[in-house]
Short mmCIF file of all heavy atoms in Angstrom, two decimals:
data_model
loop_
_atom_site.label_atom_id
_atom_site.label_comp_id
_atom_site.label_asym_id
_atom_site.label_seq_id
_atom_site.Cartn_x
_atom_site.Cartn_y
_atom_site.Cartn_z
N MET A 1 0.86 -1.20 0.00
CA MET A 1 0.00 0.00 0.00
C MET A 1 0.88 1.24 0.00
O MET A 1 1.71 1.41 0.87
CB MET A 1 -0.87 -0.02 1.27
CG MET A 1 -1.84 1.13 1.35
SD MET A 1 -3.27 0.91 0.31
CE MET A 1 -3.89 -0.65 0.92
N ASN A 2 0.73 2.08 -0.99
CA ASN A 2 1.56 3.28 -1.00
C ASN A 2 0.73 4.57 -0.96
O ASN A 2 1.21 5.63 -1.30
CB ASN A 2 2.50 3.29 -2.20
CG ASN A 2 1.75 3.30 -3.50
OD1 ASN A 2 0.53 3.15 -3.51
ND2 ASN A 2 2.45 3.50 -4.59
N ARG A 3 -0.53 4.43 -0.55
CA ARG A 3 -1.36 5.63 -0.37
C ARG A 3 -1.82 5.72 1.08
O ARG A 3 -2.28 4.75 1.65
CB ARG A 3 -2.61 5.58 -1.26
CG ARG A 3 -2.34 5.93 -2.68
CD ARG A 3 -3.60 5.93 -3.51
NE ARG A 3 -3.24 5.52 -4.84
CZ ARG A 3 -3.27 4.27 -5.27
NH1 ARG A 3 -3.74 3.33 -4.51
NH2 ARG A 3 -2.85 3.98 -6.47
N THR A 4 -1.70 6.93 1.63
CA THR A 4 -2.16 7.18 3.00
C THR A 4 -3.03 8.42 3.00
O THR A 4 -2.60 9.48 2.55
CB THR A 4 -0.96 7.40 3.95
OG1 THR A 4 -0.12 6.24 3.91
CG2 THR A 4 -1.43 7.62 5.37
N LEU A 5 -4.24 8.25 3.50
CA LEU A 5 -5.16 9.38 3.61
C LEU A 5 -5.26 9.79 5.08
O LEU A 5 -5.60 8.97 5.93
CB LEU A 5 -6.55 8.99 3.09
CG LEU A 5 -7.63 10.06 3.20
CD1 LEU A 5 -7.29 11.27 2.30
CD2 LEU A 5 -9.00 9.49 2.86
N TYR A 6 -4.93 11.04 5.36
CA TYR A 6 -5.07 11.57 6.72
C TYR A 6 -6.50 12.06 6.90
O TYR A 6 -6.99 12.87 6.12
CB TYR A 6 -4.09 12.72 6.94
CG TYR A 6 -2.65 12.26 6.89
CD1 TYR A 6 -1.95 12.27 5.69
CD2 TYR A 6 -2.01 11.81 8.04
CE1 TYR A 6 -0.63 11.85 5.63
CE2 TYR A 6 -0.69 11.39 8.01
CZ TYR A 6 -0.01 11.41 6.80
OH TYR A 6 1.30 10.98 6.74
N ALA A 7 -7.17 11.50 7.91
CA ALA A 7 -8.59 11.77 8.09
C ALA A 7 -8.87 12.27 9.50
O ALA A 7 -8.33 11.74 10.48
CB ALA A 7 -9.38 10.49 7.84
N LEU A 8 -9.70 13.28 9.58
CA LEU A 8 -10.02 13.91 10.86
C LEU A 8 -10.96 13.02 11.68
O LEU A 8 -12.02 12.61 11.19
CB LEU A 8 -10.67 15.27 10.59
CG LEU A 8 -10.89 16.22 11.75
CD1 LEU A 8 -9.57 16.52 12.46
CD2 LEU A 8 -11.55 17.49 11.25
N CYS A 9 -10.56 12.73 12.90
CA CYS A 9 -11.37 11.88 13.79
C CYS A 9 -11.39 12.47 15.19
O CYS A 9 -10.53 13.27 15.55
CB CYS A 9 -10.77 10.48 13.87
SG CYS A 9 -10.88 9.54 12.35
N GLY A 10 -12.38 12.01 15.94
CA GLY A 10 -12.45 12.35 17.36
C GLY A 10 -11.94 11.17 18.17
O GLY A 10 -10.98 10.49 17.77
N ALA A 11 -12.62 10.88 19.27
CA ALA A 11 -12.20 9.78 20.14
C ALA A 11 -12.28 8.44 19.43
O ALA A 11 -11.45 7.56 19.66
CB ALA A 11 -13.07 9.77 21.39
N ASP A 12 -13.29 8.28 18.57
CA ASP A 12 -13.45 7.04 17.82
C ASP A 12 -12.66 7.13 16.52
O ASP A 12 -13.09 7.78 15.56
CB ASP A 12 -14.93 6.79 17.54
CG ASP A 12 -15.18 5.43 16.88
OD1 ASP A 12 -14.20 4.80 16.40
OD2 ASP A 12 -16.35 5.02 16.83
N LYS A 13 -11.50 6.48 16.50
CA LYS A 13 -10.59 6.58 15.35
C LYS A 13 -11.14 5.87 14.10
O LYS A 13 -10.59 6.03 13.00
CB LYS A 13 -9.22 5.97 15.69
CG LYS A 13 -8.57 6.58 16.91
CD LYS A 13 -8.23 8.03 16.67
CE LYS A 13 -7.50 8.64 17.87
NZ LYS A 13 -7.77 10.06 18.04
N SER A 14 -12.21 5.11 14.27
CA SER A 14 -12.77 4.40 13.12
C SER A 14 -13.85 5.21 12.41
O SER A 14 -14.44 4.73 11.44
CB SER A 14 -13.36 3.05 13.57
OG SER A 14 -14.51 3.26 14.37
N ARG A 15 -14.11 6.44 12.89
CA ARG A 15 -15.20 7.22 12.31
C ARG A 15 -14.73 8.62 11.91
O ARG A 15 -14.93 9.59 12.65
CB ARG A 15 -16.36 7.32 13.28
CG ARG A 15 -16.95 5.96 13.65
CD ARG A 15 -18.09 6.09 14.62
NE ARG A 15 -19.30 6.54 13.95
CZ ARG A 15 -20.22 5.72 13.45
NH1 ARG A 15 -20.05 4.43 13.53
NH2 ARG A 15 -21.28 6.19 12.87
N PRO A 16 -14.12 8.73 10.73
CA PRO A 16 -13.73 10.06 10.24
C PRO A 16 -14.98 10.92 10.05
O PRO A 16 -15.98 10.43 9.53
CB PRO A 16 -13.08 9.77 8.88
CG PRO A 16 -12.82 8.31 8.86
CD PRO A 16 -13.80 7.66 9.79
N PHE A 17 -14.92 12.17 10.49
CA PHE A 17 -16.15 12.98 10.45
C PHE A 17 -16.08 14.20 9.54
O PHE A 17 -17.03 14.98 9.48
CB PHE A 17 -16.59 13.38 11.85
CG PHE A 17 -15.60 14.22 12.62
CD1 PHE A 17 -15.41 15.56 12.34
CD2 PHE A 17 -14.85 13.64 13.65
CE1 PHE A 17 -14.53 16.32 13.06
CE2 PHE A 17 -13.96 14.40 14.38
CZ PHE A 17 -13.79 15.74 14.08
N SER A 18 -14.98 14.36 8.83
CA SER A 18 -14.87 15.51 7.94
C SER A 18 -15.52 15.23 6.58
O SER A 18 -15.13 14.29 5.88
CB SER A 18 -13.40 15.86 7.71
OG SER A 18 -13.27 16.67 6.56
N PRO A 19 -16.50 16.05 6.18
CA PRO A 19 -17.11 15.84 4.85
C PRO A 19 -16.11 16.03 3.71
O PRO A 19 -16.28 15.44 2.65
CB PRO A 19 -18.23 16.89 4.80
CG PRO A 19 -17.93 17.86 5.88
CD PRO A 19 -17.12 17.15 6.92
N HIS A 20 -15.08 16.85 3.93
CA HIS A 20 -14.06 17.00 2.88
C HIS A 20 -13.25 15.71 2.73
O HIS A 20 -12.87 15.34 1.62
CB HIS A 20 -13.15 18.18 3.21
CG HIS A 20 -13.88 19.49 3.27
ND1 HIS A 20 -14.45 20.07 2.16
CD2 HIS A 20 -14.16 20.31 4.31
CE1 HIS A 20 -15.03 21.21 2.51
NE2 HIS A 20 -14.88 21.37 3.81
N VAL A 21 -12.99 15.06 3.84
CA VAL A 21 -12.31 13.76 3.78
C VAL A 21 -13.23 12.72 3.12
O VAL A 21 -12.77 11.90 2.32
CB VAL A 21 -11.87 13.30 5.19
CG1 VAL A 21 -11.33 11.87 5.16
CG2 VAL A 21 -10.82 14.24 5.75
N TRP A 22 -14.51 12.79 3.43
CA TRP A 22 -15.46 11.85 2.79
C TRP A 22 -15.41 11.99 1.27
O TRP A 22 -15.50 11.01 0.54
CB TRP A 22 -16.88 12.10 3.27
CG TRP A 22 -17.12 11.83 4.72
CD1 TRP A 22 -16.34 11.08 5.57
CD2 TRP A 22 -18.22 12.30 5.50
NE1 TRP A 22 -16.89 11.07 6.83
CE2 TRP A 22 -18.05 11.81 6.82
CE3 TRP A 22 -19.33 13.09 5.23
CZ2 TRP A 22 -18.94 12.08 7.84
CZ3 TRP A 22 -20.23 13.36 6.24
CH2 TRP A 22 -20.03 12.86 7.53
N LYS A 23 -15.32 13.23 0.78
CA LYS A 23 -15.26 13.44 -0.68
C LYS A 23 -14.06 12.69 -1.27
O LYS A 23 -14.17 12.07 -2.33
CB LYS A 23 -15.10 14.94 -1.01
CG LYS A 23 -16.36 15.74 -0.87
CD LYS A 23 -16.16 17.16 -1.39
CE LYS A 23 -15.33 17.97 -0.44
NZ LYS A 23 -15.20 19.39 -0.85
N THR A 24 -12.93 12.78 -0.57
CA THR A 24 -11.73 12.09 -1.05
C THR A 24 -11.91 10.58 -0.99
O THR A 24 -11.52 9.86 -1.93
CB THR A 24 -10.51 12.52 -0.22
OG1 THR A 24 -10.39 13.95 -0.30
CG2 THR A 24 -9.24 11.88 -0.74
N MET A 25 -12.51 10.08 0.08
CA MET A 25 -12.76 8.64 0.20
C MET A 25 -13.67 8.15 -0.93
O MET A 25 -13.43 7.09 -1.52
CB MET A 25 -13.40 8.31 1.55
CG MET A 25 -12.46 8.48 2.73
SD MET A 25 -13.35 8.30 4.29
CE MET A 25 -11.97 7.87 5.38
N LEU A 26 -14.72 8.92 -1.22
CA LEU A 26 -15.63 8.54 -2.30
C LEU A 26 -14.93 8.55 -3.64
O LEU A 26 -15.15 7.67 -4.49
CB LEU A 26 -16.84 9.49 -2.32
CG LEU A 26 -17.82 9.33 -1.15
CD1 LEU A 26 -18.81 10.49 -1.12
CD2 LEU A 26 -18.57 8.01 -1.26
N SER A 27 -14.06 9.54 -3.85
CA SER A 27 -13.33 9.62 -5.12
C SER A 27 -12.37 8.44 -5.29
O SER A 27 -12.27 7.86 -6.38
CB SER A 27 -12.54 10.93 -5.19
OG SER A 27 -13.40 12.03 -5.14
N LEU A 28 -11.68 8.09 -4.21
CA LEU A 28 -10.76 6.95 -4.27
C LEU A 28 -11.52 5.65 -4.51
O LEU A 28 -11.08 4.79 -5.30
CB LEU A 28 -9.94 6.86 -2.99
CG LEU A 28 -8.90 7.98 -2.80
CD1 LEU A 28 -8.40 8.02 -1.35
CD2 LEU A 28 -7.74 7.80 -3.76
N ALA A 29 -12.69 5.51 -3.86
CA ALA A 29 -13.51 4.31 -4.07
C ALA A 29 -14.00 4.25 -5.51
O ALA A 29 -13.99 3.19 -6.15
CB ALA A 29 -14.69 4.32 -3.10
N HIS A 30 -14.41 5.39 -6.03
CA HIS A 30 -14.89 5.46 -7.42
C HIS A 30 -13.80 5.02 -8.40
O HIS A 30 -14.07 4.35 -9.40
CB HIS A 30 -15.34 6.88 -7.73
CG HIS A 30 -15.81 7.08 -9.13
ND1 HIS A 30 -16.99 6.53 -9.60
CD2 HIS A 30 -15.26 7.73 -10.18
CE1 HIS A 30 -17.14 6.84 -10.88
NE2 HIS A 30 -16.11 7.58 -11.25
N LYS A 31 -12.55 5.39 -8.08
CA LYS A 31 -11.44 5.03 -8.96
C LYS A 31 -10.89 3.64 -8.66
O LYS A 31 -9.98 3.17 -9.35
CB LYS A 31 -10.30 6.07 -8.79
CG LYS A 31 -10.66 7.45 -9.34
CD LYS A 31 -9.61 8.47 -8.93
CE LYS A 31 -9.94 9.85 -9.44
NZ LYS A 31 -9.60 10.00 -10.86
N GLY A 32 -11.38 3.01 -7.60
CA GLY A 32 -10.91 1.68 -7.24
C GLY A 32 -9.49 1.68 -6.70
O GLY A 32 -8.76 0.70 -6.87
N LEU A 33 -9.11 2.78 -6.03
CA LEU A 33 -7.75 2.90 -5.51
C LEU A 33 -7.73 2.56 -4.01
O LEU A 33 -8.54 3.09 -3.23
CB LEU A 33 -7.22 4.32 -5.73
CG LEU A 33 -7.12 4.76 -7.19
CD1 LEU A 33 -6.73 6.23 -7.28
CD2 LEU A 33 -6.11 3.89 -7.93
N ASP A 34 -6.80 1.69 -3.62
CA ASP A 34 -6.65 1.31 -2.21
C ASP A 34 -5.84 2.37 -1.46
O ASP A 34 -4.99 3.05 -2.05
CB ASP A 34 -5.92 -0.02 -2.09
CG ASP A 34 -6.75 -1.17 -2.63
OD1 ASP A 34 -7.98 -1.05 -2.63
OD2 ASP A 34 -6.14 -2.16 -3.06
N TYR A 35 -6.10 2.45 -0.18
CA TYR A 35 -5.33 3.39 0.66
C TYR A 35 -5.47 2.99 2.12
O TYR A 35 -6.40 2.27 2.49
CB TYR A 35 -5.85 4.83 0.47
CG TYR A 35 -7.30 5.01 0.83
CD1 TYR A 35 -7.67 5.43 2.10
CD2 TYR A 35 -8.30 4.73 -0.08
CE1 TYR A 35 -9.01 5.58 2.45
CE2 TYR A 35 -9.64 4.86 0.25
CZ TYR A 35 -9.98 5.29 1.51
OH TYR A 35 -11.31 5.42 1.85
N ASP A 36 -4.53 3.43 2.91
CA ASP A 36 -4.63 3.31 4.36
C ASP A 36 -5.14 4.63 4.91
O ASP A 36 -4.81 5.70 4.37
CB ASP A 36 -3.25 3.03 4.99
CG ASP A 36 -2.76 1.63 4.65
OD1 ASP A 36 -3.59 0.71 4.61
OD2 ASP A 36 -1.54 1.49 4.43
N THR A 37 -5.91 4.55 5.97
CA THR A 37 -6.40 5.76 6.62
C THR A 37 -5.60 6.00 7.89
O THR A 37 -5.41 5.09 8.70
CB THR A 37 -7.89 5.62 6.98
OG1 THR A 37 -8.62 5.33 5.79
CG2 THR A 37 -8.42 6.91 7.58
N ARG A 38 -5.13 7.22 8.05
CA ARG A 38 -4.43 7.60 9.28
C ARG A 38 -5.30 8.63 10.02
O ARG A 38 -5.53 9.74 9.50
CB ARG A 38 -3.07 8.21 8.92
CG ARG A 38 -2.19 8.58 10.08
CD ARG A 38 -1.14 7.55 10.49
NE ARG A 38 -0.48 6.89 9.40
CZ ARG A 38 0.73 7.19 8.93
NH1 ARG A 38 1.40 8.21 9.44
NH2 ARG A 38 1.27 6.49 7.97
N ALA A 39 -5.80 8.25 11.17
CA ALA A 39 -6.68 9.13 11.94
C ALA A 39 -5.86 10.22 12.62
O ALA A 39 -4.83 9.94 13.23
CB ALA A 39 -7.44 8.32 12.98
N VAL A 40 -6.34 11.45 12.49
CA VAL A 40 -5.69 12.57 13.18
C VAL A 40 -6.75 13.43 13.85
O VAL A 40 -7.86 13.58 13.35
CB VAL A 40 -4.85 13.44 12.22
CG1 VAL A 40 -3.64 12.68 11.69
CG2 VAL A 40 -5.68 13.97 11.07
N GLY A 41 -6.39 14.00 14.99
CA GLY A 41 -7.25 14.95 15.66
C GLY A 41 -6.92 16.36 15.19
O GLY A 41 -5.91 16.59 14.50
N PHE A 42 -7.76 17.32 15.55
CA PHE A 42 -7.54 18.70 15.11
C PHE A 42 -6.12 19.20 15.44
O PHE A 42 -5.47 19.81 14.60
CB PHE A 42 -8.55 19.64 15.77
CG PHE A 42 -9.86 19.74 15.04
CD1 PHE A 42 -10.99 19.12 15.53
CD2 PHE A 42 -9.96 20.46 13.86
CE1 PHE A 42 -12.20 19.20 14.86
CE2 PHE A 42 -11.16 20.55 13.17
CZ PHE A 42 -12.28 19.92 13.68
N THR A 43 -5.67 18.92 16.66
CA THR A 43 -4.37 19.48 17.07
C THR A 43 -3.18 18.78 16.41
O THR A 43 -2.07 19.30 16.46
CB THR A 43 -4.21 19.39 18.60
OG1 THR A 43 -4.35 18.03 19.02
CG2 THR A 43 -5.26 20.25 19.31
N GLN A 44 -3.42 17.61 15.81
CA GLN A 44 -2.33 16.89 15.14
C GLN A 44 -2.13 17.34 13.69
O GLN A 44 -1.07 17.05 13.10
CB GLN A 44 -2.62 15.39 15.14
CG GLN A 44 -2.62 14.75 16.51
CD GLN A 44 -3.11 13.31 16.45
OE1 GLN A 44 -4.27 13.06 16.15
NE2 GLN A 44 -2.22 12.38 16.70
N ILE A 45 -3.12 18.02 13.12
CA ILE A 45 -3.04 18.35 11.69
C ILE A 45 -1.75 19.10 11.33
O ILE A 45 -1.11 18.77 10.33
CB ILE A 45 -4.30 19.14 11.24
CG1 ILE A 45 -5.54 18.26 11.36
CG2 ILE A 45 -4.13 19.64 9.81
CD1 ILE A 45 -6.85 18.99 11.07
N PRO A 46 -1.32 20.09 12.13
CA PRO A 46 -0.09 20.81 11.76
C PRO A 46 1.18 19.95 11.77
O PRO A 46 2.22 20.38 11.27
CB PRO A 46 0.00 21.92 12.81
CG PRO A 46 -1.39 22.08 13.34
CD PRO A 46 -1.98 20.70 13.29
N THR A 47 1.11 18.75 12.34
CA THR A 47 2.30 17.87 12.38
C THR A 47 2.33 16.88 11.21
O THR A 47 3.33 16.18 11.03
CB THR A 47 2.33 17.07 13.70
OG1 THR A 47 1.25 16.12 13.71
CG2 THR A 47 2.20 17.99 14.92
N ILE A 48 1.26 16.85 10.42
CA ILE A 48 1.19 15.89 9.30
C ILE A 48 2.25 16.23 8.26
O ILE A 48 2.42 17.39 7.88
CB ILE A 48 -0.21 15.96 8.62
CG1 ILE A 48 -1.30 15.48 9.56
CG2 ILE A 48 -0.22 15.16 7.33
CD1 ILE A 48 -2.70 15.71 9.03
N GLU A 49 2.96 15.21 7.80
CA GLU A 49 3.91 15.36 6.70
C GLU A 49 4.83 16.57 6.93
O GLU A 49 4.97 17.44 6.05
CB GLU A 49 3.16 15.49 5.36
CG GLU A 49 2.37 14.26 4.97
CD GLU A 49 3.25 13.12 4.45
OE1 GLU A 49 4.42 13.38 4.10
OE2 GLU A 49 2.75 11.98 4.41
N ASN A 50 5.40 16.63 8.11
CA ASN A 50 6.35 17.70 8.46
C ASN A 50 5.77 19.10 8.29
O ASN A 50 6.44 20.01 7.80
CB ASN A 50 7.63 17.57 7.63
CG ASN A 50 8.32 16.25 7.88
OD1 ASN A 50 8.48 15.85 9.03
ND2 ASN A 50 8.71 15.56 6.82
N GLY A 51 4.51 19.25 8.67
CA GLY A 51 3.90 20.58 8.65
C GLY A 51 3.45 21.03 7.28
O GLY A 51 3.39 22.23 7.01
N ALA A 52 3.09 20.10 6.42
CA ALA A 52 2.73 20.44 5.04
C ALA A 52 1.36 21.11 4.92
O ALA A 52 1.06 21.70 3.89
CB ALA A 52 2.74 19.17 4.18
N THR A 53 0.55 21.04 5.97
CA THR A 53 -0.81 21.53 5.83
C THR A 53 -1.41 21.95 7.17
O THR A 53 -0.93 21.53 8.23
CB THR A 53 -1.72 20.43 5.22
OG1 THR A 53 -3.01 20.97 4.98
CG2 THR A 53 -1.83 19.23 6.15
N THR A 54 -2.45 22.77 7.10
CA THR A 54 -3.23 23.08 8.29
C THR A 54 -4.64 22.51 8.17
O THR A 54 -5.47 22.69 9.07
CB THR A 54 -3.35 24.61 8.50
OG1 THR A 54 -3.91 25.19 7.32
CG2 THR A 54 -1.98 25.21 8.77
N LEU A 55 -4.92 21.86 7.02
CA LEU A 55 -6.24 21.29 6.77
C LEU A 55 -6.11 19.86 6.27
O LEU A 55 -5.11 19.49 5.66
CB LEU A 55 -6.99 22.11 5.71
CG LEU A 55 -7.30 23.58 6.03
CD1 LEU A 55 -7.87 24.26 4.81
CD2 LEU A 55 -8.26 23.69 7.20
N VAL A 56 -7.14 19.07 6.53
CA VAL A 56 -7.25 17.75 5.91
C VAL A 56 -8.49 17.77 5.01
O VAL A 56 -9.39 18.57 5.24
CB VAL A 56 -7.38 16.63 6.97
CG1 VAL A 56 -6.08 16.45 7.70
CG2 VAL A 56 -8.52 16.87 7.93
N PRO A 57 -8.60 16.97 4.01
CA PRO A 57 -7.75 15.81 3.75
C PRO A 57 -6.38 16.15 3.16
O PRO A 57 -6.22 17.16 2.47
CB PRO A 57 -8.56 15.02 2.71
CG PRO A 57 -9.31 16.08 1.97
CD PRO A 57 -9.67 17.09 3.02
N VAL A 58 -5.45 15.25 3.43
CA VAL A 58 -4.17 15.21 2.75
C VAL A 58 -3.94 13.76 2.35
O VAL A 58 -4.17 12.85 3.15
CB VAL A 58 -3.01 15.66 3.67
CG1 VAL A 58 -1.67 15.48 2.98
CG2 VAL A 58 -3.19 17.10 4.08
N LEU A 59 -3.54 13.58 1.11
CA LEU A 59 -3.29 12.22 0.61
C LEU A 59 -1.82 12.09 0.22
O LEU A 59 -1.32 12.85 -0.62
CB LEU A 59 -4.17 11.94 -0.61
CG LEU A 59 -3.97 10.58 -1.29
CD1 LEU A 59 -4.45 9.45 -0.40
CD2 LEU A 59 -4.69 10.55 -2.65
N ARG A 60 -1.14 11.15 0.86
CA ARG A 60 0.23 10.79 0.44
C ARG A 60 0.09 9.66 -0.57
O ARG A 60 -0.41 8.59 -0.25
CB ARG A 60 1.04 10.37 1.66
CG ARG A 60 2.33 9.62 1.37
CD ARG A 60 3.32 10.41 0.55
NE ARG A 60 3.86 11.57 1.26
CZ ARG A 60 4.68 12.45 0.67
NH1 ARG A 60 5.03 12.30 -0.61
NH2 ARG A 60 5.12 13.50 1.35
N ASP A 61 0.47 9.90 -1.81
CA ASP A 61 0.38 8.90 -2.87
C ASP A 61 1.78 8.70 -3.44
O ASP A 61 2.21 9.42 -4.34
CB ASP A 61 -0.59 9.39 -3.95
CG ASP A 61 -0.86 8.32 -5.01
OD1 ASP A 61 -0.19 7.26 -4.98
OD2 ASP A 61 -1.73 8.55 -5.87
N GLY A 62 2.51 7.76 -2.85
CA GLY A 62 3.90 7.56 -3.25
C GLY A 62 4.70 8.82 -2.96
O GLY A 62 4.71 9.30 -1.83
N ASP A 63 5.34 9.36 -3.98
CA ASP A 63 6.14 10.57 -3.81
C ASP A 63 5.30 11.85 -3.84
O ASP A 63 5.81 12.93 -3.59
CB ASP A 63 7.19 10.67 -4.93
CG ASP A 63 8.22 9.57 -4.82
OD1 ASP A 63 8.42 9.04 -3.70
OD2 ASP A 63 8.83 9.22 -5.86
N LEU A 64 4.03 11.69 -4.17
CA LEU A 64 3.15 12.84 -4.35
C LEU A 64 2.35 13.13 -3.10
O LEU A 64 1.81 12.22 -2.47
CB LEU A 64 2.20 12.54 -5.52
CG LEU A 64 1.35 13.66 -6.09
CD1 LEU A 64 2.23 14.74 -6.70
CD2 LEU A 64 0.40 13.08 -7.13
N LEU A 65 2.27 14.41 -2.74
CA LEU A 65 1.44 14.83 -1.62
C LEU A 65 0.31 15.68 -2.18
O LEU A 65 0.55 16.73 -2.78
CB LEU A 65 2.27 15.63 -0.62
CG LEU A 65 1.60 15.92 0.72
CD1 LEU A 65 1.31 14.63 1.49
CD2 LEU A 65 2.47 16.84 1.55
N VAL A 66 -0.93 15.20 -1.98
CA VAL A 66 -2.09 15.90 -2.56
C VAL A 66 -2.88 16.55 -1.43
O VAL A 66 -3.34 15.87 -0.52
CB VAL A 66 -3.01 14.92 -3.33
CG1 VAL A 66 -4.16 15.67 -3.98
CG2 VAL A 66 -2.21 14.14 -4.36
N ARG A 67 -3.02 17.87 -1.50
CA ARG A 67 -3.81 18.60 -0.52
C ARG A 67 -5.10 19.09 -1.16
O ARG A 67 -5.13 19.31 -2.36
CB ARG A 67 -3.02 19.81 0.00
CG ARG A 67 -1.95 19.41 1.00
CD ARG A 67 -1.03 20.55 1.32
NE ARG A 67 -0.09 20.72 0.20
CZ ARG A 67 1.02 21.44 0.27
NH1 ARG A 67 1.33 22.08 1.36
NH2 ARG A 67 1.82 21.52 -0.77
N ASP A 68 -6.13 19.23 -0.35
CA ASP A 68 -7.45 19.72 -0.76
C ASP A 68 -8.24 18.62 -1.45
O ASP A 68 -7.74 17.93 -2.35
CB ASP A 68 -7.35 20.95 -1.69
CG ASP A 68 -8.63 21.76 -1.64
OD1 ASP A 68 -9.65 21.28 -2.17
OD2 ASP A 68 -8.60 22.86 -1.07
N SER A 69 -9.48 18.46 -1.03
CA SER A 69 -10.30 17.35 -1.54
C SER A 69 -10.58 17.48 -3.02
O SER A 69 -10.73 16.47 -3.72
CB SER A 69 -11.62 17.30 -0.77
OG SER A 69 -12.33 18.51 -0.90
N PHE A 70 -10.70 18.72 -3.53
CA PHE A 70 -11.02 18.86 -4.94
C PHE A 70 -9.85 18.50 -5.84
O PHE A 70 -10.02 18.10 -6.97
CB PHE A 70 -11.48 20.29 -5.25
CG PHE A 70 -12.85 20.58 -4.67
CD1 PHE A 70 -12.98 21.33 -3.51
CD2 PHE A 70 -13.99 20.06 -5.27
CE1 PHE A 70 -14.23 21.57 -2.96
CE2 PHE A 70 -15.24 20.29 -4.73
CZ PHE A 70 -15.36 21.06 -3.57
N1 GSH B 1 -10.93 23.30 0.75
C1 GSH B 1 -10.53 22.23 1.64
C2 GSH B 1 -11.21 22.41 2.98
C3 GSH B 1 -10.70 21.38 3.99
C4 GSH B 1 -11.18 21.67 5.40
O1 GSH B 1 -11.79 22.72 5.69
N2 GSH B 1 -10.87 20.74 6.31
C5 GSH B 1 -11.24 20.91 7.72
C6 GSH B 1 -11.98 19.68 8.22
S1 GSH B 1 -13.58 19.53 7.51
C7 GSH B 1 -10.00 21.03 8.55
O2 GSH B 1 -9.00 20.39 8.27
N3 GSH B 1 -10.03 21.85 9.61
C8 GSH B 1 -8.91 21.93 10.50
C9 GSH B 1 -8.96 23.14 11.38
O3 GSH B 1 -9.86 23.97 11.19
O4 GSH B 1 -8.09 23.24 12.26
C10 GSH B 1 -10.86 20.90 1.01
O5 GSH B 1 -11.85 20.82 0.25
O6 GSH B 1 -10.13 19.93 1.21
#
């Protein structure tokens, strides 16, 4: 697996609650692309990928870092 999607979660790490992350999940499912989900809380977002973003979703796809759901 070389794709990692950072998804906003609360106490329950199995339930991402960001609609922007959902858009990315739906797009990946539509394309039939596998990925791992990495749950992050609000305060962890600035630490993702060495501070690459202040918002999620962020998708690490091999060497490529994709920000913004659109
Ligand atoms: N235009 C962005 C918006 C992303 C966005 O607003 N993400 C929110 C979660 S729904 C976020 O990361 N908020 C973090 C914060 O406000 O600290 C996209 O479509 O991906």
Side-chain angles (χ1 to χ4, degrees):
M1 183 77 57
N2 62 351
R3 281 183 212 92
T4 301
L5 178 66
Y6 294 91
L8 190 57
C9 292
D12 186 346
K13 304 295 183 211
S14 69
R15 300 180 76 92
F17 60 76
S18 162
H20 298 293
V21 172
W22 295 342
K23 284 188 286 185
T24 303
M25 290 172 158
L26 289 168
S27 298
L28 290 165
H30 178 70
K31 291 170 180 281
L33 298 174
D34 292 334
Y35 60 94
D36 290 323
T37 303
R38 184 96 41 100
V40 292
F42 274 106
T43 57
Q44 294 172 294
I45 295 174
T47 68
I48 294 171
E49 296 284 344
N50 299 314
T53 185
T54 56
L55 298 173
V56 290
V58 175
L59 177 68
R60 164 61 67 185
D61 187 353
D63 293 336
L64 191 64
L65 191 63
V66 183
R67 283 170 284 195
D68 203 289
S69 59
F70 289 103

